[in-house]
Amino acid sequence: MARGLLFVISGPSGVGKNSVLNGVLKERNDIFYSISATTRPPRRNEVNGKDYYFLTKDEFEKAIKSGELLEWALVYGNYYGTPRKAVEERLNNGQHVIMDLDIQGAANVRNNLPEAVLIFLLPPSREELKRRLLARKSEAKAAVEKRLACLEKELASITRYDYVVMNDLLENACRKVAAIITAEEARVDRGYWREQFLF
Ligand code: 5GP
């Protein structure tokens, strides 16, 4: 059986990664969303085990040491990482996996799993990003500043991605990401046609 495809979505804080991911996953409920671990405190409405696995710093560092994480990074002052087991199991069973990673995580995945598909979600402008980040009111002012301070570095990393999708209108962005998934499945070198055609 052909392995599943791994899709990585990155983009600056506030660009709307979660909304786009939710939209895509509604259409493509065959795809597995990898739930990350983090030491960031939960936001209002965030549920442990659904949005993230919320860990203490100690727990996270133990997970690093024991090799439980496929990748991890310090992002905006907190640890974030991908539990390895669920992702490997799904991919080996032929299921596609999608994950939301910062630019360091995406670069690590690119090095370790070169066949992964990297998608960068771009805001329409710097001003619009700032507006969205402030409007969601999930972070204190200092945290917002910290997130905005990373923007230029994040934009500079776009050339390491395979696709860039502008999140101008949520529907458009979801449609484009879904189209990328469909196109990747149709690539000859992915080999899915071999399983679909009755020779
Ligand atoms: P937030 O705190 O806004 O949920 O996420 C902050 C940043 O961490 C985002 O850029 C997001 O893509 C990134 N992130 C979330 N989960 C992971 C992960 O498992 N690994 C890495 N490297 N970054 C992650």
Side-chain angles (χ1 to χ4, degrees), residues 4 11 37 40-41 43-44 59 72 77 81 91 119-120 122 132 145 163-164 168 184-185 191 196:
R40 160 170 83 59
R43 294 180 184 136
R44 255 184 312 127
E59 290 169 333
W72 64 271
L91 291 176
I119 304 170
F120 193 96
L122 188 67
R132 288 183 195 175
E145 292 301 331
Y163 296 94
V164 57
D168 43 5
E184 287 291 333
E185 289 173 320
Q196 287 157 358

Side-chain angles (χ1 to χ4, degrees), residues 3-20:
R3 261 166 77 83
L5 299 176
L6 175 57
F7 296 92
V8 173
I9 299 223
S10 303
S13 184
V15 69
K17 287 186 295 277
N18 284 342
S19 308
V20 172

Side-chain angles (χ1 to χ4, degrees), residues 9-14 17-18 33-38 40 43 46 52 71-76 80-83 100-106 108 136 139 147 154:
I9 299 223
S10 303
S13 184
K17 287 186 295 277
N18 284 342
Y33 173 69
S34 160
I35 301 168
S36 297
T38 185
R40 160 170 83 59
R43 294 180 184 136
E46 279 186 332
Y52 279 106
E71 63 73 42
W72 64 271
L74 255 178
V75 192
Y76 314 135
Y80 292 82
T82 304
D100 163 357
L101 303 183
D102 84 307
I103 57 175
Q104 308 164 73
N108 288 336
R136 79 179 185 191
E139 277 85 21
R147 285 165 180 254
E154 289 165 341

Side-chain angles (χ1 to χ4, degrees), residues 79-148:
Y79 281 128
Y80 292 82
T82 304
R84 180 192 298 280
K85 192 161 169 266
V87 170
E88 287 183 346
E89 277 176 5
R90 302 297 174 132
L91 291 176
N92 289 336
N93 288 334
Q95 191 176 4
H96 300 335
V97 172
I98 198 161
M99 49 178 72
D100 163 357
L101 303 183
D102 84 307
I103 57 175
Q104 308 164 73
N108 288 336
V109 166
R110 171 62 94 217
N111 287 336
N112 299 331
L113 302 162
E115 69 280 12
V117 180
L118 308 191
I119 304 170
F120 193 96
L121 210 55
L122 188 67
S125 67
R126 289 181 172 78
E127 291 66 39
E128 173 60 15
L129 182 76
K130 195 167 181 180
R131 198 193 59 73
R132 288 183 195 175
L133 200 49
L134 291 170
R136 79 179 185 191
K137 294 199 172 93
S138 52
E139 277 85 21
K141 191 137 194 304
V144 169
E145 292 301 331
K146 206 177 214 175
R147 285 165 180 254
L148 281 171

